[in-house]
Amino acid sequence: MRSSRFLVPAALVLRVFTALPVLVGSVPANLDHSSVRAAGSACPGDDSGLKLPRGFCATIFADGIGHARHLVVAANNVVYVNTWSGDYYPAGETVHEGGFLVALQDKSGTGKADVVERFGGTAHDGSGIALYKGFLYAEVNDRIIRYQLPTSGIVPSDPPVTVVSRLPLGGDHPMHPFYVSDDGMLYVDVATATNACQLKNRTLHSPGADPCKELETRGGIWRYDAKKTDQTYSSSDRYATGIRNAEGFGVDKADNRVYIAQHGRDQLHANWPEIYKPEEEATLPSEEVMLLKGGGDYGWPECYYDPGLKRLVLAPEYGGDGNKPGACSTKTGPVVAFPAHWGPNGLVFYDQKQFPAAYRNGLFIAFHGSWDRAPYAQGGYNIVFQALTQSGAAGRCEIFADGFAGGIISPEGAIHRPSGVAVGPDGALYVTDDMKGRIYRITYVGGAAAQSGGPEFTPCPSLTASPGEPAPAAAKPPEGTNPDAGDAALPVPPGATHEMVALGDRIYHGQVGGAPCAACHGANGSGTPLGSDLTRNNWYWSDGSWKGLSKIITDGVPVPKQYRSPMPAMGGAQLTTDQAEAVAAYVWALSHH
């Protein structure tokens, strides 16, 4: 029986879990794909369009509230959401008036919010949000702030106070997700500024800094007192290290376990093509859920998790060859691993009773969706349920909710992308979407009879499965989709040839050369949160000529003006001069089509 007790520091009780086995994709005997249905077929009022297991229904609780990231649900069922209006999203967007924090309430009991109120400032980067003893905590830029919740109404009337400030900003991962423990300690993720602590970030053959100075100030979990104010970030407050980007926290209060979801590193093949096959760009390394321990070292940047070898492997920046463990044999690996690059943005432990027993005492994970699997099919864009055993080991892995992206599963084509998950006091599961600002509310309506015989579910894919064939045309091609599209050739820049544009097309989409152009700029060049729109003939670093674009591709962009991550020289790949010119010709053609 699971006992209820206060959460204590993980380091005191979790030493035994450092060697837990990691689940690497298995298909259970009771699989029944017929149990998965589109939400709405047996759920009056369900307009979500999601695919859920039998007996579950979803409603669109709210829509259009901004780039909704993390959320929490108060004891009175008021939902509080942190929305991000920073530079991760398209420049020039109109920011919602009234504030970046949103309070949502369903007074009529329809499963939809009929009260929407905003508060806080408007210029904002951030994701994290939490509740603790009548206070609402939120991340805003380099600070964690705290509001006193009102005794009447749902929006604070007093201004916030600062709990901790001067958290590091900038780089690849500027956000600071966090959670507050039952004893009032604030655990903040301070994610890395780089992909793998290379001397030149995301650049072909650039070695890793040794030692990695970045680990002194980032790449771990920091701990502060949530009850105090005006604390200042310090490297001495680090609680755990070697964590690249822990976007979500799942807290099992009964068994004193804190799980964190980590985004694995990118560009193994792109930066080290002599070690990794092209398809391994899409399959390595795994995303991870790890057990948080005080003083723990989880291996970044020296290590990544290989699902085929079922262990941590030494990174090529530090002398790794794709097999040897090196220093990673002394680091702490994951409790469970997931497909590469799916992007676990949110995590919650389910300990309520509204869902059937098979969904209790496990983790719901919001996978934001991949970009670095190109030119192979992208993955994620879903909600996964990860069962856990009594001892905390991994059980079954299930695709619980799908259909968020719509027909095009890619960063630029997805209609909605899951980002945060939270459980209400009534047991409902809430999911945020940071593309269109939608909030979903998922409940179980199947009744006791539908629970007999064990769960029927869609398992997570095998972590060692092939990524399939390259899929360069996941989005609509620039030539169009009308019957005559094949005859509508792209234009050719002066001095180039049709053959160069055709070769540039193949390089751009990852079929030649190994450059991840489409991953950052989108399959049709229309841009993603990682890279600019190439179709508008609007250039920040060049005059837009074929030669000007060739120079930018050859030299790279180490410090982008409107995006967080650099564009390495030659796209971080081993392109020849002729190939770089071909890509430039194709990009020029996109911008003049």
Side-chain angles (χ1 to χ4, degrees), residues 326-374:
C328 304
S329 60
T330 64
K331 310 297 185 182
T332 300
V335 173
V336 60
F338 299 92
H341 312 304
W342 273 25
N345 265 23
L347 182 68
V348 70
F349 186 85
Y350 192 88
D351 56 3
Q352 299 293 319
K353 296 183 179 179
Q354 207 277 327
F355 286 10
Y359 294 94
R360 297 173 198 162
N361 304 320
L363 299 168
F364 283 97
I365 308 168
F367 283 100
H368 196 233
S370 66
W371 67 270
D372 196 30
R373 296 176 73 93

Side-chain angles (χ1 to χ4, degrees), residues 494-512:
T497 65
H498 283 289
E499 289 76 16
M500 291 182 70
V501 173
L503 173 60
D505 185 341
R506 296 180 64 207
I507 296 169
Y508 180 91
H509 289 102
Q511 296 171 308
V512 176

Side-chain angles (χ1 to χ4, degrees), residues 6 18 45 133-134 147 152 228 239 245 252 337 343 354 450 530 562:
F6 289 105
T18 59
K133 291 191 175 181
Y147 288 90
S152 61
K228 295 180 179 179
Y239 180 76
N245 184 21
D252 175 2
Q354 207 277 327
L530 296 169
Q562 293 197 2

Side-chain angles (χ1 to χ4, degrees), residues 88 134 149 153 164 225 227 234 244 271 280 321 387 394 428 450 455 464 469 483 507 514 548 586:
Y88 182 81
L149 290 176
V164 61
D225 191 333
K227 303 179 291 297
S234 169
R244 182 176 179 270
N271 289 344
E280 289 179 314
D321 60 3
T464 56
E469 295 298 319
I507 296 169
Y586 177 69

Side-chain angles (χ1 to χ4, degrees), residues 70-80 131 249-251 253 346-355 359-365 383 385 400 420-432 439-443:
H70 288 181
L71 76 168
V72 287
V73 189
N76 59 356
N77 281 308
V78 175
V79 178
Y80 292 97
L131 291 164
F249 294 84
V251 183
K253 296 182 179 181
L347 182 68
V348 70
F349 186 85
Y350 192 88
D351 56 3
Q352 299 293 319
K353 296 183 179 179
Q354 207 277 327
F355 286 10
Y359 294 94
R360 297 173 198 162
N361 304 320
L363 299 168
F364 283 97
I365 308 168
I383 301 296
F385 175 74
F400 176 76
V421 280
V423 178
D426 59 356
L429 180 71
Y430 293 83
V431 180
T432 64
I439 308 295
Y440 301 86
R441 183 176 185 268
I442 301 173
T443 56

Side-chain angles (χ1 to χ4, degrees), residues 67-69 84-93 368 419 434-435 529 562-563:
H67 297 296
R69 296 287 283 185
W84 188 351
S85 58
D87 60 6
Y88 182 81
Y89 298 97
E93 284 191 330
H368 196 233
S419 189
D434 70 350
M435 292 295 289
Q562 293 197 2
Y563 294 86

Side-chain angles (χ1 to χ4, degrees), residues 142-168:
D142 69 337
R143 293 170 291 138
I144 308 298
I145 59 175
R146 187 180 76 195
Y147 288 90
Q148 175 76 60
L149 290 176
T151 54
S152 61
I154 62 175
V155 172
S157 56
D158 296 329
V161 297
T162 297
V163 177
V164 61
S165 63
R166 298 186 182 179
L167 296 167

